[in-house]
Amino acid sequence: MPCVDTWLRAWLEEDLGRGDLTAPALLGRHGRAHWLAKQAGIFCGGPLVAPLFRLLDPEMELELLVAEGQPVIPGQQLLRLQGQAAALVAGERTALNLAMHLSGIATATAALVQELEGCGVRLVDTRKTTPGLRLLEKYAVRCGGGGNHRLGLDDAAMLKENHIAWAGGIAAAVAAVRASAPWPAQVIVEAETTTEAEAAIAAGADGVLLDEFKPQQLIELVPRLRALALQRGRPVVLEASGIQPEQLRAYGSTGIDLISTSAPITRSPWLDLSMRFEASP
Amino acid sequence: MPCVDTWLRAWLEEDLGRGDLTAPALLGRHGRAHWLAKQAGIFCGGPLVAPLFRLLDPEMELELLVAEGQPVIPGQQLLRLQGQAAALVAGERTALNLAMHLSGIATATAALVQELEGCGVRLVDTRKTTPGLRLLEKYAVRCGGGGNHRLGLDDAAMLKENHIAWAGGIAAAVAAVRASAPWPAQVIVEAETTTEAEAAIAAGADGVLLDEFKPQQLIELVPRLRALALQRGRPVVLEASGIQPEQLRAYGSTGIDLISTSAPITRSPWLDLSMRFEASP
Amino acid sequence: MPCVDTWLRAWLEEDLGRGDLTAPALLGRHGRAHWLAKQAGIFCGGPLVAPLFRLLDPEMELELLVAEGQPVIPGQQLLRLQGQAAALVAGERTALNLAMHLSGIATATAALVQELEGCGVRLVDTRKTTPGLRLLEKYAVRCGGGGNHRLGLDDAAMLKENHIAWAGGIAAAVAAVRASAPWPAQVIVEAETTTEAEAAIAAGADGVLLDEFKPQQLIELVPRLRALALQRGRPVVLEASGIQPEQLRAYGSTGIDLISTSAPITRSPWLDLSMRFEASP
Amino acid sequence: MPCVDTWLRAWLEEDLGRGDLTAPALLGRHGRAHWLAKQAGIFCGGPLVAPLFRLLDPEMELELLVAEGQPVIPGQQLLRLQGQAAALVAGERTALNLAMHLSGIATATAALVQELEGCGVRLVDTRKTTPGLRLLEKYAVRCGGGGNHRLGLDDAAMLKENHIAWAGGIAAAVAAVRASAPWPAQVIVEAETTTEAEAAIAAGADGVLLDEFKPQQLIELVPRLRALALQRGRPVVLEASGIQPEQLRAYGSTGIDLISTSAPITRSPWLDLSMRFEASP
Amino acid sequence: MPCVDTWLRAWLEEDLGRGDLTAPALLGRHGRAHWLAKQAGIFCGGPLVAPLFRLLDPEMELELLVAEGQPVIPGQQLLRLQGQAAALVAGERTALNLAMHLSGIATATAALVQELEGCGVRLVDTRKTTPGLRLLEKYAVRCGGGGNHRLGLDDAAMLKENHIAWAGGIAAAVAAVRASAPWPAQVIVEAETTTEAEAAIAAGADGVLLDEFKPQQLIELVPRLRALALQRGRPVVLEASGIQPEQLRAYGSTGIDLISTSAPITRSPWLDLSMRFEASP
Amino acid sequence: MPCVDTWLRAWLEEDLGRGDLTAPALLGRHGRAHWLAKQAGIFCGGPLVAPLFRLLDPEMELELLVAEGQPVIPGQQLLRLQGQAAALVAGERTALNLAMHLSGIATATAALVQELEGCGVRLVDTRKTTPGLRLLEKYAVRCGGGGNHRLGLDDAAMLKENHIAWAGGIAAAVAAVRASAPWPAQVIVEAETTTEAEAAIAAGADGVLLDEFKPQQLIELVPRLRALALQRGRPVVLEASGIQPEQLRAYGSTGIDLISTSAPITRSPWLDLSMRFEASP
């Protein structure tokens, strides 16, 4: 995440505006604080806390007590901080907002991943991410045990209904993209019917996204699609989407490779964490 | 929101990366699309959609069918778009992500505000906001009928336990901030006990945040604090926080002025919206 | 002042352009220098000098000999520097420009503040500030013993003649702003007549700016406004503006709370300071 | 001035912060306004006003009534504006701050230039400029009839006492800079004694800055330096600095080419201008 | 290329610095100009010329006479421009520099692609690109008939000798990357020996880069690798690199899929183009 | 080069995009590497390598083995690196791209400069530089023993055919520029005929660019122009351009001061360098 410092600075400035009005009352003081979990969940975002506070106080000391992606219980200490009081106060909210949001995503992901345990299917995210936070939210999904789908419109091509209509069919759409894309770019086709799925494989798609198929349909369809792909000497990645959390397990045993879902990002509450200041040393 | 164009551009670039791989297949085509609500809720973010798509196609035409902050029902059309196919595809996800997130917040806010209807208490947000989205999330709270607390550390001073400890008491802390802050800046004190609340008023605080008091305590305390303030010829704004959604109504009748809660921002799922492409003209 | 490093970098680049042409002649050399006051006044900007030179030479050593906001006399040493010769030369002009400008403002402020000594009235600045330098100029005003008015259009609302005309009266204008502003935002009304001032208080304004009233008028008006405010259980901050420096004292004894003036920023000459290089060590 | 739009945007954001709190009260309204001079002086900055307001309202109409660099009298209308009320209010202060500051510089410059009228000497500025405003302040000097010295450390080399000491003499310093600088870069030497001035010419300097010489000394020195330069087949530009405004005329008749002074930028009050809103159409 | 406007602005500012010194002599004038090819080659960069000049004069009219990627002959007109004289002069050099550089790359690519005609092998570029120009240089390669390899370190993983050593073997390295990368990311292994190439296929690599193999070796190796891949039910992309231009054809008939070469970017001279001003209308 | 860190960061981000996919396989490891020359030439860019890698690993250790602008032979070690493996891999390509490009320019410059040895003529570059790299490319020219012409449109004025036509003649054009330019800015006139060259001198030009004159013409013309300049008491810099590399020597003995050529920048191949990882410590 090469730009993370730039983001942290911008987020601090969002909260600080023209400067913390209470800073003059804290000048010259030093303090200690720690973070507590107030809920059970998966902790995520810990490695961002030190760089954030060091933008405010380059001498800030921080000890992480919980490794990234690990479960925490209510009351558990997560990290310890020591440095300028004005920096502790100025960074508190931004750092917590970030970690609570990411930990909420990791926690929700872990719950879904556990649901699929033993199925041999990988749970992956989508491009439904909060504007400005995609890389970090996708990182939180990995911390929760999930995998990532493409990171943006530029690192794999997904052809949807409208692309296909405009290009004049699946084969034409796949060919148009292959002609201009870098060779390592995968081409995925979104299919809503069996016919579309078969046409995608015939057109040489690297992946097929099977949208809103029922588990029963997939149980029948998946082996047929794999056989078709085999005939063409080219394996295909099969992905199911449009699935409610409670149906995950049913889909997990259909033989597909991936289940993609936006739920851990779009439907998860923040994990409740707080920062406690300690009696001055 | 003076920077909104800068943000929209950055969010588009987050999704586009080095460019949409499917764009060459769409070059030169035009299309139409509309947005649908897939859930009931409050629509928010509509006015951001046109500027976002116009960064991709300055000629994009957009007709908003729902006013900001209005309720929508499943299946309802929200807006209509017409322009370059490549721009419609490139902007779709970012625009929806933004509107779904903001509409989720507005919807959750409206539910809480309705809970308080008739109490004469204003529901306001906090500084628990997603990094990078504070102004827009606070705008969504207003669209849902809530009010805003301070926007950052620079436009009002809130003195917490640690400020008070470092400054050597409430009176000293208030005085230190007043001495350096611009005169219109309000000074608010967070109180966890009755004694602290009274000391805050004695120190001339403009507002007192009564954190995790029980409704019964407030019913007794609020009039006493108001009387104290009156004696000093200076009214005080009384705010309650740390309240679970199901208790809102109980707090609403304690005589306080404000209830602050982060729930609409930290615990709301996105509102489900989608974009449908239409048969080409 | 969270962005100060960004500003310092931009200001250095303004002077350096594509690079100091004399730098190659200085490469590898180290030097010492000190700053001298060439005029009496209040020194301001000292804490900015080290961060500025460290952008050019991270090892630059700097010893501040005068505390911020303290008076200096002609010939007095202000600070001592030691580091790369190329950095000393490249930063000299920008650092001096900044400190001379800010010290000029602090000096002019201190003169006016002294004029008001013992009156119990606070001298505050306005939004008439040099583009790009508002936070630093307002800081210089504080160093000179003055106070700050609002920092921008977003941290308090001042309703002027035109707002009132467009909104349809003072009460309507105040109500419109209160409805959308964050609750801690103060609402101030600019009044040019006694009637307007009274209407402002009736409308619940937090402050009234009494523009271009004469001292005699204020002596009669101020107690009346305070009584009106008291009746409504809500104190009001009374501010006078449009005052010539030579009349300050007359206004100081009218009972108002604040006198706002742009003079220290818009009419002050720079304080003359210079940097002297010392014989090489 | 290629970056002027970037600057205008940053300056507006400095005043707007998170947004004008009074904007909601103005939404949807249009208005008219004009600018008035409240003092006599030289108007400068007019061409910046339209681009500034158009960042807030792209449809803003503006009619300039006074050409850049022209004298104005108290009460004179300078320009007329028509557009969104919220944009008029949001841009007013920033636009006036800029124009008042620049007009103050142009006015002060014009007074000094008039002093020198008929002397055949050009008045030029220095690098003592307000951080962030150099190009505009130097533009204001031109509007007031002055000329510009170098714009930064990169477009001409000025060798001062310390350069000379570090390089081991004037000849060595000039040679070191010539060896690395682009060929069109002029090399100027600052001289405080006659000997230094002669050495500068002997070293092939393109210009000599004669610092704090008395008029009598210059009358004798200037022809001697010109003769020396002629012998070497290379004319030299002779510049005097360190001059009090009241001595300008005395220096004007010494035969030098340029007088450089920072006074119009470091010692000029802003020119008083104001914006008046008109009864709505 | 979403950021192209930002780049064009930065490149103009690189040449303009504090502003074209000749601009005042051109103010208010309009002119016409055209571009001429002075050498035969492939024209590339045409669509960038209008946006570049419109940053200087939004009314600039431009007619492109040659389509992107088309051959041109000496003396051929490439495009025609009409607009403000100051804008024509200010943009000339930057626009030509860009188009001459890109056209040089397209021309060199086309020569190599022609060499390979009929071989069924695709010529692709590498990550050896001029800092700051990667997307445009890769675009120029496509204009010359070549294809693109990955665009950066983030859109496909290439495992080299050192990755393999650190990870403890090819299989471990491939597994480590697959575990964390988004699923559509291809994993390519660079092989310098037959054993390594076979191990890469056994490890499930999507592509194998055969570095500095001789044509004879490849003729024997390629079918063996393909058979191995077929056994594993997973096709592999075979790429040869480290090839001198004169050997291209020999490699073209070895059965590989891709030849990657940096030569069109690192070894191509600019194509000579010039801009001619026409007698004023 | 004040912005060099900003550039290095942007160039790294161009290659890294959303992050090196192989980084997770390298986490926690350290490594050593060195750079080798694979061709003979002049090494340039060495001092940029450490700052570039330190953006990725602040603890990266680097030992430069070859001074800037020195010749290197095939197989020679250029520098040694030690630090985090992930940083070595992430920075490798960008650092090499930069140094190979700059070394190619220095190498090509040195060859031309050697051609002119003993002529007393200085070889200088032009404004034909790769967009975004001007300062570094001009620095590479200096490393190769050449000199720099003006750095941009703002630090000297060159009047060409079209300026002269628009201004109504050479004298008018020179006068117009002198009137508005800072006094140290040189004015150069491009002449294509003897008459134009003489007119330029008569108009007081500081330099005359003699474009596409033949050596024979120059041998006759140069002394005449110098005499003319001498009569006017003002030396002139005479520059020849439009010269093929093979004619350099012929031009070198015509008495001109400068030969300007873009060839080292527009026609030089990169110098082949590579980075070798060493067996882990």
PDB file of all heavy atoms in Angstrom, chain E residues 14-15 18 22 97 127 134 153-154 163 166, chain F residues 14-15 18 22 97 127 134 153-154 163:
ATOM      1  N   GLU E  14       6.381  22.508 -16.558  1.00  0.00           N
ATOM      2  CA  GLU E  14       7.827  22.246 -16.582  1.00  0.00           C
ATOM      3  C   GLU E  14       8.514  23.189 -17.577  1.00  0.00           C
ATOM      4  O   GLU E  14       9.622  23.666 -17.330  1.00  0.00           O
ATOM      5  CB  GLU E  14       8.058  20.788 -16.994  1.00  0.00           C
ATOM      6  CG  GLU E  14       9.509  20.373 -16.978  1.00  0.00           C
ATOM      7  CD  GLU E  14       9.711  18.986 -17.576  1.00  0.00           C
ATOM      8  OE1 GLU E  14       9.154  18.692 -18.654  1.00  0.00           O
ATOM      9  OE2 GLU E  14      10.443  18.193 -16.969  1.00  0.00           O
ATOM     10  N   ASP E  15       7.875  23.449 -18.698  1.00  0.00           N
ATOM     11  CA  ASP E  15       8.482  24.314 -19.708  1.00  0.00           C
ATOM     12  C   ASP E  15       8.195  25.791 -19.423  1.00  0.00           C
ATOM     13  O   ASP E  15       9.034  26.653 -19.642  1.00  0.00           O
ATOM     14  CB  ASP E  15       7.944  23.932 -21.096  1.00  0.00           C
ATOM     15  CG  ASP E  15       8.755  24.559 -22.223  1.00  0.00           C
ATOM     16  OD1 ASP E  15       9.947  24.881 -22.010  1.00  0.00           O
ATOM     17  OD2 ASP E  15       8.216  24.723 -23.338  1.00  0.00           O
ATOM     18  N   ARG E  18       7.745  30.124 -14.557  1.00  0.00           N
ATOM     19  CA  ARG E  18       6.970  31.265 -14.053  1.00  0.00           C
ATOM     20  C   ARG E  18       6.264  32.013 -15.187  1.00  0.00           C
ATOM     21  O   ARG E  18       5.690  33.076 -14.949  1.00  0.00           O
ATOM     22  CB  ARG E  18       7.886  32.187 -13.266  1.00  0.00           C
ATOM     23  CG  ARG E  18       8.537  31.510 -12.058  1.00  0.00           C
ATOM     24  CD  ARG E  18       9.316  32.474 -11.227  1.00  0.00           C
ATOM     25  NE  ARG E  18       9.979  31.841 -10.099  1.00  0.00           N
ATOM     26  CZ  ARG E  18      11.212  31.319 -10.155  1.00  0.00           C
ATOM     27  NH1 ARG E  18      11.896  31.358 -11.286  1.00  0.00           N
ATOM     28  NH2 ARG E  18      11.740  30.771  -9.086  1.00  0.00           N
ATOM     29  N   THR E  22       7.997  35.686 -23.548  1.00  0.00           N
ATOM     30  CA  THR E  22       7.601  36.368 -24.790  1.00  0.00           C
ATOM     31  C   THR E  22       6.089  36.577 -24.858  1.00  0.00           C
ATOM     32  O   THR E  22       5.596  37.213 -25.788  1.00  0.00           O
ATOM     33  CB  THR E  22       8.044  35.565 -26.035  1.00  0.00           C
ATOM     34  OG1 THR E  22       7.246  34.378 -26.137  1.00  0.00           O
ATOM     35  CG2 THR E  22       9.510  35.176 -25.962  1.00  0.00           C
ATOM     36  N   ASN E  97       7.485  17.575 -28.206  1.00  0.00           N
ATOM     37  CA  ASN E  97       8.338  16.631 -27.465  1.00  0.00           C
ATOM     38  C   ASN E  97       7.588  15.327 -27.212  1.00  0.00           C
ATOM     39  O   ASN E  97       8.131  14.235 -27.393  1.00  0.00           O
ATOM     40  CB  ASN E  97       8.781  17.235 -26.128  1.00  0.00           C
ATOM     41  CG  ASN E  97       9.845  18.313 -26.297  1.00  0.00           C
ATOM     42  OD1 ASN E  97      10.368  18.519 -27.386  1.00  0.00           O
ATOM     43  ND2 ASN E  97      10.150  19.019 -25.212  1.00  0.00           N
ATOM     44  N   ARG E 127       8.796  -3.673 -18.557  1.00  0.00           N
ATOM     45  CA  ARG E 127       8.687  -2.566 -17.597  1.00  0.00           C
ATOM     46  C   ARG E 127       9.853  -1.595 -17.733  1.00  0.00           C
ATOM     47  O   ARG E 127       9.990  -0.685 -16.913  1.00  0.00           O
ATOM     48  CB  ARG E 127       8.588  -3.111 -16.169  1.00  0.00           C
ATOM     49  CG  ARG E 127       7.185  -3.605 -15.815  1.00  0.00           C
ATOM     50  CD  ARG E 127       7.160  -4.428 -14.536  1.00  0.00           C
ATOM     51  NE  ARG E 127       7.776  -3.740 -13.455  1.00  0.00           N
ATOM     52  CZ  ARG E 127       8.850  -4.186 -12.756  1.00  0.00           C
ATOM     53  NH1 ARG E 127       9.401  -5.356 -13.050  1.00  0.00           N
ATOM     54  NH2 ARG E 127       9.351  -3.487 -11.792  1.00  0.00           N
ATOM     55  N   ARG E 134       5.082   5.637 -18.468  1.00  0.00           N
ATOM     56  CA  ARG E 134       4.814   4.233 -18.806  1.00  0.00           C
ATOM     57  C   ARG E 134       3.530   4.031 -19.600  1.00  0.00           C
ATOM     58  O   ARG E 134       3.530   3.372 -20.635  1.00  0.00           O
ATOM     59  CB  ARG E 134       4.765   3.378 -17.538  1.00  0.00           C
ATOM     60  CG  ARG E 134       4.453   1.917 -17.911  1.00  0.00           C
ATOM     61  CD  ARG E 134       4.680   0.977 -16.778  1.00  0.00           C
ATOM     62  NE  ARG E 134       6.093   0.899 -16.460  1.00  0.00           N
ATOM     63  CZ  ARG E 134       6.564   0.274 -15.386  1.00  0.00           C
ATOM     64  NH1 ARG E 134       5.711  -0.310 -14.549  1.00  0.00           N
ATOM     65  NH2 ARG E 134       7.844   0.223 -15.154  1.00  0.00           N
ATOM     66  N   LEU E 153       3.931  -3.663 -11.170  1.00  0.00           N
ATOM     67  CA  LEU E 153       4.182  -4.766 -10.235  1.00  0.00           C
ATOM     68  C   LEU E 153       2.897  -5.303  -9.617  1.00  0.00           C
ATOM     69  O   LEU E 153       2.922  -6.296  -8.902  1.00  0.00           O
ATOM     70  CB  LEU E 153       5.116  -4.288  -9.111  1.00  0.00           C
ATOM     71  CG  LEU E 153       6.554  -4.048  -9.535  1.00  0.00           C
ATOM     72  CD1 LEU E 153       7.304  -3.283  -8.452  1.00  0.00           C
ATOM     73  CD2 LEU E 153       7.238  -5.382  -9.805  1.00  0.00           C
ATOM     74  N   ASP E 154       1.792  -4.627  -9.871  1.00  0.00           N
ATOM     75  CA  ASP E 154       0.559  -4.987  -9.176  1.00  0.00           C
ATOM     76  C   ASP E 154      -0.455  -5.716 -10.033  1.00  0.00           C
ATOM     77  O   ASP E 154      -1.510  -6.077  -9.534  1.00  0.00           O
ATOM     78  CB  ASP E 154      -0.097  -3.730  -8.607  1.00  0.00           C
ATOM     79  CG  ASP E 154      -0.451  -2.737  -9.697  1.00  0.00           C
ATOM     80  OD1 ASP E 154       0.225  -2.719 -10.753  1.00  0.00           O
ATOM     81  OD2 ASP E 154      -1.415  -1.972  -9.513  1.00  0.00           O
ATOM     82  N   HIS E 163      13.324 -14.048  -6.017  1.00  0.00           N
ATOM     83  CA  HIS E 163      12.099 -14.441  -5.316  1.00  0.00           C
ATOM     84  C   HIS E 163      12.168 -15.928  -4.961  1.00  0.00           C
ATOM     85  O   HIS E 163      11.774 -16.352  -3.872  1.00  0.00           O
ATOM     86  CB  HIS E 163      10.868 -14.281  -6.217  1.00  0.00           C
ATOM     87  CG  HIS E 163      10.472 -12.872  -6.479  1.00  0.00           C
ATOM     88  ND1 HIS E 163      10.839 -12.198  -7.609  1.00  0.00           N
ATOM     89  CD2 HIS E 163       9.720 -11.998  -5.752  1.00  0.00           C
ATOM     90  CE1 HIS E 163      10.331 -10.980  -7.573  1.00  0.00           C
ATOM     91  NE2 HIS E 163       9.659 -10.823  -6.453  1.00  0.00           N
ATOM     92  N   TRP E 166      14.602 -16.668  -2.142  1.00  0.00           N
ATOM     93  CA  TRP E 166      14.101 -16.257  -0.828  1.00  0.00           C
ATOM     94  C   TRP E 166      12.949 -17.141  -0.347  1.00  0.00           C
ATOM     95  O   TRP E 166      12.806 -17.389   0.829  1.00  0.00           O
ATOM     96  CB  TRP E 166      13.692 -14.776  -0.859  1.00  0.00           C
ATOM     97  CG  TRP E 166      14.817 -13.817  -0.640  1.00  0.00           C
ATOM     98  CD1 TRP E 166      15.785 -13.895   0.325  1.00  0.00           C
ATOM     99  CD2 TRP E 166      15.103 -12.628  -1.397  1.00  0.00           C
ATOM    100  NE1 TRP E 166      16.651 -12.822   0.213  1.00  0.00           N
ATOM    101  CE2 TRP E 166      16.253 -12.026  -0.831  1.00  0.00           C
ATOM    102  CE3 TRP E 166      14.502 -12.013  -2.493  1.00  0.00           C
ATOM    103  CZ2 TRP E 166      16.811 -10.852  -1.321  1.00  0.00           C
ATOM    104  CZ3 TRP E 166      15.044 -10.840  -2.973  1.00  0.00           C
ATOM    105  CH2 TRP E 166      16.200 -10.261  -2.399  1.00  0.00           C
TER     106      TRP E 166
ATOM    107  N   GLU F  14       4.122   4.737 -10.052  1.00  0.00           N
ATOM    108  CA  GLU F  14       3.762   4.342 -11.415  1.00  0.00           C
ATOM    109  C   GLU F  14       4.003   2.850 -11.616  1.00  0.00           C
ATOM    110  O   GLU F  14       3.241   2.168 -12.300  1.00  0.00           O
ATOM    111  CB  GLU F  14       4.624   5.146 -12.400  1.00  0.00           C
ATOM    112  CG  GLU F  14       4.290   4.894 -13.855  1.00  0.00           C
ATOM    113  CD  GLU F  14       5.285   5.559 -14.784  1.00  0.00           C
ATOM    114  OE1 GLU F  14       6.509   5.452 -14.546  1.00  0.00           O
ATOM    115  OE2 GLU F  14       4.842   6.196 -15.750  1.00  0.00           O
ATOM    116  N   ASP F  15       5.072   2.324 -11.046  1.00  0.00           N
ATOM    117  CA  ASP F  15       5.395   0.911 -11.218  1.00  0.00           C
ATOM    118  C   ASP F  15       4.663   0.042 -10.192  1.00  0.00           C
ATOM    119  O   ASP F  15       4.227  -1.059 -10.499  1.00  0.00           O
ATOM    120  CB  ASP F  15       6.915   0.711 -11.081  1.00  0.00           C
ATOM    121  CG  ASP F  15       7.360  -0.670 -11.555  1.00  0.00           C
ATOM    122  OD1 ASP F  15       6.641  -1.280 -12.388  1.00  0.00           O
ATOM    123  OD2 ASP F  15       8.426  -1.141 -11.125  1.00  0.00           O
ATOM    124  N   ARG F  18      -1.069  -0.594  -7.149  1.00  0.00           N
ATOM    125  CA  ARG F  18      -1.691  -0.902  -5.855  1.00  0.00           C
ATOM    126  C   ARG F  18      -0.787  -1.770  -4.981  1.00  0.00           C
ATOM    127  O   ARG F  18      -1.216  -2.246  -3.935  1.00  0.00           O
ATOM    128  CB  ARG F  18      -3.042  -1.570  -6.088  1.00  0.00           C
ATOM    129  CG  ARG F  18      -4.015  -0.680  -6.868  1.00  0.00           C
ATOM    130  CD  ARG F  18      -5.379  -1.307  -6.977  1.00  0.00           C
ATOM    131  NE  ARG F  18      -6.293  -0.520  -7.779  1.00  0.00           N
ATOM    132  CZ  ARG F  18      -6.454  -0.643  -9.093  1.00  0.00           C
ATOM    133  NH1 ARG F  18      -5.727  -1.516  -9.763  1.00  0.00           N
ATOM    134  NH2 ARG F  18      -7.326   0.109  -9.732  1.00  0.00           N
ATOM    135  N   THR F  22       4.319  -9.524  -5.373  1.00  0.00           N
ATOM    136  CA  THR F  22       5.240 -10.513  -4.808  1.00  0.00           C
ATOM    137  C   THR F  22       5.720 -10.112  -3.410  1.00  0.00           C
ATOM    138  O   THR F  22       6.421 -10.879  -2.760  1.00  0.00           O
ATOM    139  CB  THR F  22       6.475 -10.720  -5.711  1.00  0.00           C
ATOM    140  OG1 THR F  22       7.320  -9.567  -5.630  1.00  0.00           O
ATOM    141  CG2 THR F  22       6.081 -10.950  -7.156  1.00  0.00           C
ATOM    142  N   ASN F  97      15.671   2.100 -14.597  1.00  0.00           N
ATOM    143  CA  ASN F  97      15.138   2.858 -15.740  1.00  0.00           C
ATOM    144  C   ASN F  97      15.691   4.283 -15.743  1.00  0.00           C
ATOM    145  O   ASN F  97      16.090   4.819 -16.783  1.00  0.00           O
ATOM    146  CB  ASN F  97      13.606   2.906 -15.682  1.00  0.00           C
ATOM    147  CG  ASN F  97      12.963   1.568 -16.050  1.00  0.00           C
ATOM    148  OD1 ASN F  97      13.641   0.648 -16.502  1.00  0.00           O
ATOM    149  ND2 ASN F  97      11.658   1.457 -15.852  1.00  0.00           N
ATOM    150  N   ARG F 127      15.451  22.703 -25.629  1.00  0.00           N
ATOM    151  CA  ARG F 127      14.225  22.399 -24.882  1.00  0.00           C
ATOM    152  C   ARG F 127      13.559  21.123 -25.406  1.00  0.00           C
ATOM    153  O   ARG F 127      12.451  20.800 -24.989  1.00  0.00           O
ATOM    154  CB  ARG F 127      13.257  23.579 -24.955  1.00  0.00           C
ATOM    155  CG  ARG F 127      13.631  24.707 -23.969  1.00  0.00           C
ATOM    156  CD  ARG F 127      12.875  25.987 -24.249  1.00  0.00           C
ATOM    157  NE  ARG F 127      11.467  25.785 -24.338  1.00  0.00           N
ATOM    158  CZ  ARG F 127      10.702  26.047 -25.415  1.00  0.00           C
ATOM    159  NH1 ARG F 127      11.240  26.567 -26.506  1.00  0.00           N
ATOM    160  NH2 ARG F 127       9.427  25.809 -25.393  1.00  0.00           N
ATOM    161  N   ARG F 134      12.906  17.132 -17.717  1.00  0.00           N
ATOM    162  CA  ARG F 134      13.839  18.133 -18.220  1.00  0.00           C
ATOM    163  C   ARG F 134      15.029  18.394 -17.317  1.00  0.00           C
ATOM    164  O   ARG F 134      16.178  18.370 -17.762  1.00  0.00           O
ATOM    165  CB  ARG F 134      13.125  19.461 -18.507  1.00  0.00           C
ATOM    166  CG  ARG F 134      14.119  20.514 -19.015  1.00  0.00           C
ATOM    167  CD  ARG F 134      13.463  21.723 -19.594  1.00  0.00           C
ATOM    168  NE  ARG F 134      12.750  21.371 -20.815  1.00  0.00           N
ATOM    169  CZ  ARG F 134      11.916  22.199 -21.433  1.00  0.00           C
ATOM    170  NH1 ARG F 134      11.720  23.409 -20.939  1.00  0.00           N
ATOM    171  NH2 ARG F 134      11.306  21.820 -22.534  1.00  0.00           N
ATOM    172  N   LEU F 153      10.749  28.420 -20.783  1.00  0.00           N
ATOM    173  CA  LEU F 153      10.314  29.635 -21.469  1.00  0.00           C
ATOM    174  C   LEU F 153      10.430  30.868 -20.585  1.00  0.00           C
ATOM    175  O   LEU F 153      10.207  31.981 -21.036  1.00  0.00           O
ATOM    176  CB  LEU F 153       8.859  29.467 -21.913  1.00  0.00           C
ATOM    177  CG  LEU F 153       8.649  28.494 -23.073  1.00  0.00           C
ATOM    178  CD1 LEU F 153       7.169  28.166 -23.227  1.00  0.00           C
ATOM    179  CD2 LEU F 153       9.185  29.104 -24.362  1.00  0.00           C
ATOM    180  N   ASP F 154      10.718  30.670 -19.327  1.00  0.00           N
ATOM    181  CA  ASP F 154      10.677  31.778 -18.384  1.00  0.00           C
ATOM    182  C   ASP F 154      12.047  32.300 -17.971  1.00  0.00           C
ATOM    183  O   ASP F 154      12.107  33.262 -17.224  1.00  0.00           O
ATOM    184  CB  ASP F 154       9.923  31.373 -17.119  1.00  0.00           C
ATOM    185  CG  ASP F 154      10.577  30.190 -16.418  1.00  0.00           C
ATOM    186  OD1 ASP F 154      11.233  29.380 -17.106  1.00  0.00           O
ATOM    187  OD2 ASP F 154      10.439  30.075 -15.202  1.00  0.00           O
ATOM    188  N   HIS F 163       7.378  35.225 -33.624  1.00  0.00           N
ATOM    189  CA  HIS F 163       7.347  36.369 -32.710  1.00  0.00           C
ATOM    190  C   HIS F 163       7.620  37.650 -33.483  1.00  0.00           C
ATOM    191  O   HIS F 163       6.984  38.692 -33.262  1.00  0.00           O
ATOM    192  CB  HIS F 163       8.457  36.272 -31.648  1.00  0.00           C
ATOM    193  CG  HIS F 163       8.244  35.225 -30.613  1.00  0.00           C
ATOM    194  ND1 HIS F 163       8.835  33.993 -30.681  1.00  0.00           N
ATOM    195  CD2 HIS F 163       7.509  35.229 -29.463  1.00  0.00           C
ATOM    196  CE1 HIS F 163       8.485  33.289 -29.612  1.00  0.00           C
ATOM    197  NE2 HIS F 163       7.681  34.003 -28.867  1.00  0.00           N
TER     198      HIS F 163
END
